[in-house]
Amino acid sequence: VRVEVVGTCVRVEVTDTCVRVEVVGSREEVEVGGKRVRARKYPWGTVEVENEAHCDFTKLREMLLRINMEDLREVTHNEHFELYRKKRLEEMGFEDETGLSETYEHKRKDHIREMQVREEKMRQMFVQKVKDKEAELKNSEQKLHEEFERLRRQNSEEKRDLDAQKSQLEEDMKTFNQKKAALQAQMADQLSKSVAGGKKK
């Protein structure tokens, strides 16, 4: 790449690909066609910086940015990311890259062992909760059964009392009817005797 300054212009020549660009730069903004743009004023007219019909600034910017972006990607990947990865590996216990697979395998086994322990604890907790729930249900069932038996006995006792009262009432009614019949017979006998005594007189 060859750069040559000619007056207020910069001439950039890329010899390998035979690309030549001429650039005009300006920090000032002027109004052109109702718009504020970066441009350089001359007695013979105005040169707009980002107007491709006036100079090659836009093309040069895109070309340089493309090249620099690729460099930035490479630097980011080869230097920054590698440095970050190394620090992270050191924080995780990877001392060097030679033992990476062994350390990874060790970490993986530790993780699997930890997950198995946690799974076993969760399984035991679940089994214990199930046992507690079963015991609670059995206790409730036992209480319901005892309450049912109590009510059944109470009902049987009340039924027995009612049967006894019914029998006593029937016995009282029978006795009352017998006395009533005897009284009626006695009254009928006395009435007949009174009638017979009146006829004799």
Side-chain angles (χ1 to χ4, degrees):
V1 178
R2 187 173 61 187
V3 180
E4 181 182 357
V5 179
V6 181
T8 58
C9 298
V10 178
R11 181 176 296 167
V12 181
E13 182 177 353
V14 182
T15 57
D16 292 341
T17 55
C18 299
V19 176
R20 178 179 293 179
V21 294
E22 294 187 0
V23 179
V24 175
S26 176
R27 295 183 180 179
E28 298 179 358
E29 291 185 354
V30 297
E31 187 172 348
V32 178
K35 295 181 180 179
R36 301 288 296 180
V37 296
R38 291 187 182 275
R40 185 181 294 273
K41 284 188 175 183
Y42 294 97
W44 45 267
T46 302
V47 178
E48 299 177 22
V49 174
E50 297 184 357
N51 189 338
E52 294 184 3
H54 294 177
C55 72
D56 298 324
F57 173 80
T58 304
K59 295 179 180 178
L60 178 62
R61 180 180 60 187
E62 292 178 359
M63 182 178 64
L64 294 177
L65 283 178
R66 287 198 186 106
I67 297 173
N68 289 335
M69 285 297 290
E70 186 63 28
D71 291 340
L72 179 60
R73 291 193 196 97
E74 293 179 0
V75 171
T76 301
H77 178 74
N78 297 331
E79 296 183 12
H80 300 294
F81 177 72
E82 287 299 324
L83 180 61
Y84 168 78
R85 186 175 70 88
K86 183 179 180 182
K87 289 182 179 180
R88 289 294 296 167
L89 290 175
E90 290 177 354
E91 292 175 0
M92 295 170 61
F94 299 101
E95 297 179 357
D96 53 10
E97 296 185 2
T98 57
L100 180 61
S101 59
E102 292 81 359
T103 308
Y104 172 77
E105 186 65 22
H106 179 69
K107 292 285 186 180
R108 188 181 69 84
K109 290 181 180 179
D110 289 344
H111 179 69
I112 292 175
R113 191 180 304 110
E114 182 181 356
M115 292 301 295
Q116 289 176 347
V117 171
R118 293 177 61 184
E119 183 179 356
E120 180 63 22
K121 287 183 179 180
M122 292 179 64
R123 189 188 66 81
Q124 292 178 0
M125 289 176 60
F126 176 76
V127 172
Q128 186 62 38
K129 287 183 179 181
V130 171
K131 290 182 179 179
D132 294 342
K133 194 65 177 180
E134 288 179 352
E136 183 180 353
L137 291 175
K138 287 182 180 179
N139 189 21
S140 300
E141 183 180 0
Q142 181 66 23
K143 289 183 179 180
L144 289 174
H145 181 70
E146 292 176 356
E147 183 67 15
F148 173 76
E149 289 295 327
R150 186 185 67 80
L151 293 175
R152 188 181 64 80
R153 288 194 299 268
Q154 182 179 354
N155 185 46
S156 298
E157 293 175 358
E158 291 178 354
K159 185 175 182 298
R160 187 166 54 250
D161 293 341
L162 288 174
D163 290 340
Q165 292 177 6
K166 179 181 178 182
S167 299
Q168 183 65 36
L169 183 60
E170 290 176 351
E171 186 68 24
D172 293 342
M173 289 291 295
K174 184 178 179 181
T175 303
F176 174 75
N177 289 330
Q178 290 176 353
K179 289 182 179 181
K180 179 180 178 182
L183 181 60
Q184 288 177 349
Q186 183 180 1
M187 291 179 64
D189 185 50
Q190 290 178 358
L191 182 61
S192 60
K193 286 182 181 180
S194 298
V195 172
K199 288 182 179 180
K200 289 180 178 182
K201 291 180 179 180

